[in-house]
Amino acid sequence: MTGRAILGIESSCDDTAVAVVDRDGGIHAAETVSQSDIHAEWGGVYPEFASRAHVRAIVPAIDRAMRAAAVSPGDLEAIAVTRGPGLIGSLLVGLNAASGLGTAWDLPVIGVNHLRGHLRSADLEERRVGFPATVLLVSGGHTIVAHMADAVSIRVLGSTRDDSVGEAYDKVARMMGLGYPGGPAIDRLAREGSATIDLPRPMIREGLDFSFSGLKSAVARWLERDPGLDKADMAASFVACCMDVLLAKCRRALAAAPSRALVVVGGVAASPQLRDGAGALTDEMGVALCLPPLEWSTDNAAMIALAGWDYVALGAAPEPAAAPRLPIDRF
Ligand code: KG4
Ligand code: ZN
């Protein structure tokens, strides 16, 4: 590797991830240890088990990533670690590992906002995003539409008033017995069904905020009333509903604020239905569509390292102190 790298560490939820990333977003190594098997039994993340699994995984993952990238501490510019939002016990594991290494290796430790990591994920591997841009961030914890004048300036235009869309996917998957995480399972099943069930499209006609808890309850009512209901048709109807709402908000946001691009990031950006729908919308509206490569849509450490480079460029190094409820517009 020529030039220096940032070591990124992510442990905000149920993935222990480590990556080595250069200033241009080139990924020299990326390790992710998933805890899906541990949490599948509960149908969601069980915080106490998540922190314990991070403790077991983190040091070996750092070691593997450093070896795979063939870097030594002297090749590193800094260590970037997620400081929030996320589960406090999980965040502390990554933060403690980063602080220990920072002291031992005499490197600065940058506390990164996980949501800023997602925002920057579309620039991993190659620079794609032209600013100003409208951004849709759809993850397990958040559903936000925002406008970015450049890589660091963000203005939130709308967000969910209750559940996130990823949470709705996970809860609907659980109700239908599809396991955890729910997103990929619902996507697969939806492809085998038709969107014939009439579900509400909450807040589709008004503003830029979202609401998904009513949709989730509507699915629950249908399943209770008719246990013989075709699950593939329900999955297809639920996905169609989410797509209609998400894309209506993107359309409205693009019309409201001048943008060269629509950037769609976060775990739900792995959905082929959302990728296709956003493609059709951006073609129609004459703006570029910027998506992270599929494997960098869900939680990873490469995006945390890339956001770390933004902080280096700004000369800002937020304290590596846990902030479980950190909002998107704060460093
Ligand atoms: O960004 P992420 O990995 O973690 C958070 O920061 O929350 O997002 C996780 C969410 C979960 O709700 C998961 O069900 C959803 O992303 N997800 C998907 C897909 N893959 C993951 N949703 C729809 N389609 C997918 N293929
Ligand atoms: Zn995330």
Side-chain angles (χ1 to χ4, degrees), residues 11-281:
S11 69
S12 63
C13 189
D14 61 342
D15 287 313
T16 317
V18 180
V20 176
V21 175
D22 64 36
R23 194 182 286 274
D24 298 319
I27 302 168
H28 296 268
E31 292 283 329
T32 299
V33 182
S34 164
Q35 303 178 3
S36 298
D37 289 352
I38 298 173
H39 302 296
E41 198 181 323
W42 313 93
V45 178
Y46 194 94
E48 174 73 21
F49 288 172
S51 353
R52 285 166 193 259
H54 285 305
V55 170
R56 284 194 298 275
I58 199 149
V59 172
I62 292 168
D63 187 44
R64 283 197 303 276
M66 295 286 284
R67 283 171 198 271
V71 291
S72 60
D75 300 318
L76 297 178
E77 176 83 22
I79 300 171
V81 57
T82 302
R83 74 182 192 104
L87 301 168
I88 180 75
S90 291
L91 291 167
L92 287 172
V93 177
L95 286 161
N96 283 339
S99 301
L101 289 177
T103 305
W105 294 346
D106 195 20
L107 285 169
V109 178
I110 305 169
V112 171
N113 184 329
H114 177 85
L115 302 173
R116 285 200 172 259
H118 276 301
L119 292 178
R120 302 294 287 120
S121 61
D123 266 343
L124 283 167
E125 292 179 2
E126 70 182 75
R127 299 278 171 185
R128 297 179 181 80
V129 182
F131 294 101
T134 293
V135 191
L136 176 70
L137 167 60
V138 275
S139 69
H142 296 82
T143 302
I144 294 172
V145 65
H147 188 257
M148 293 182 80
D150 54 50
V152 292
S153 316
I154 181 156
R155 184 161 58 92
V156 174
L157 302 173
S159 59
T160 185
R161 296 194 179 171
D162 40 58
D163 293 352
S164 73
V165 63
E167 209 173 334
Y169 268 78
D170 292 335
K171 286 181 178 164
V172 165
R174 181 154 59 174
M175 287 182 232
M176 298 208 288
L178 300 177
Y180 172 85
I186 295 228
D187 282 348
R188 275 194 298 277
L189 190 59
R191 267 181 248 136
E192 294 162 24
S194 342
T196 47
I197 301 164
D198 188 25
L199 295 171
R201 279 150 173 75
M203 301 184 72
I204 195 165
R205 287 184 209 294
E206 35 176 309
L208 289 163
D209 280 350
F210 304 83
S211 163
F212 289 100
S213 74
L215 170 60
K216 175 195 68 189
S217 312
V219 173
R221 277 196 303 277
W222 269 98
L223 293 172
E224 257 169 44
R225 246 184 285 146
D226 183 359
L229 198 72
D230 186 307
K231 293 224 172 100
D233 286 349
M234 178 49 90
S237 306
F238 168 77
V239 170
C241 191
C242 293
M243 294 307 125
D244 284 354
V245 171
L246 294 176
L247 295 170
K249 304 288 174 172
C250 288
R251 178 188 293 277
R252 199 166 291 144
L254 283 166
S259 297
R260 289 174 58 197
L262 174 66
V263 183
V264 184
V265 294
V268 184
S271 149
Q273 292 93 338
L274 181 53
R275 289 178 165 246
D276 291 350
L281 176 67

Side-chain angles (χ1 to χ4, degrees), residues 10 12 114-115 118 139-140 266-267 297-300 303:
E10 153 64 36
S12 63
H114 177 85
L115 302 173
H118 276 301
S139 69
S297 298
T298 46
D299 285 352
N300 64 84
M303 67 185 195

